[in-house]
Amino acid sequence: MGQPVAPRRKVLIVEDEPSIRNVLYVLLAAMGCDGDVATSGRQAISMIRRESFDAILLDLRCMNLAPKEVVAQVLEVRPRLMDRVLVITGEVSDADVLNWVEASCLPNVPREQLVKDIAARIQTLLGLAAAPKPVV
């Protein structure tokens, strides 16, 4: 008999920009993860109440609720996600929000670093080993 197959990890992408959402979705699939999409904070909370996720990628610009409220509700509904929320800070210029992200010790990545850093950040969030580098 073969080795048991690990279940695919499920990640919620909270992103309203289709191009970024698609990049994240494809990247997650390449990492062996399933991605679900919410285009607003309210939709994300609703989905988290109904389904279990292994991690959340949260774009702070994609909010019809304050980011603090979204994270507070996520942690109220699914406390085990406390260290599994990756915040995409993007073009957020509100110093209070950025200070809150830092003070909350939420892992974050700026939008301009997203494509470069996201795979490693997701692997860290999910506790996955990095893919071996090809031998040249």
Side-chain angles (χ1 to χ4, degrees):
M1 302 279 244
Q3 295 252 341
V5 177
R8 288 175 65 93
R9 305 292 181 103
K10 191 170 183 181
V11 178
L12 178 60
I13 302 166
V14 186
E15 173 63 64
D16 62 349
E17 190 172 314
S19 60
I20 300 293
R21 191 169 57 226
N22 291 340
V23 166
L24 293 173
Y25 191 84
V26 169
L27 180 65
L28 287 171
M31 295 175 67
C33 298
D34 291 325
D36 272 355
V37 175
T39 57
S40 71
R42 282 193 179 95
Q43 183 183 16
I45 297 302
S46 176
M47 291 173 74
I48 291 164
R49 288 186 192 283
R50 291 189 318 264
E51 302 174 54
S52 181
F53 293 93
D54 296 297
I56 300 172
L57 304 180
L58 178 66
D59 185 347
L60 291 182
R61 294 179 322 124
C62 176
M63 296 294 117
N64 50 2
L65 296 173
K68 291 179 190 178
E69 186 176 339
V70 173
V71 172
Q73 287 188 38
V74 166
L75 300 180
E76 180 182 309
V77 174
R78 304 272 184 214
R80 70 175 187 79
L81 288 174
M82 178 62 188
D83 59 349
R84 302 249 175 137
V85 176
L86 177 63
V87 176
I88 302 167
T89 54
E91 296 140 11
V92 174
S93 57
D94 183 338
D96 289 340
V97 171
L98 295 174
N99 289 336
W100 167 76
V101 168
E102 221 172 275
S104 301
C105 299
L106 290 170
N108 62 83
V109 61
R111 183 178 294 272
E112 62 273 5
Q113 295 290 108
L114 191 59
V115 174
K116 179 180 166 212
D117 292 349
I118 195 71
R121 298 292 184 113
I122 292 170
Q123 288 171 331
T124 300
L125 275 182
L126 295 174
L128 300 173
K133 301 219 184 281
V135 178
V136 182

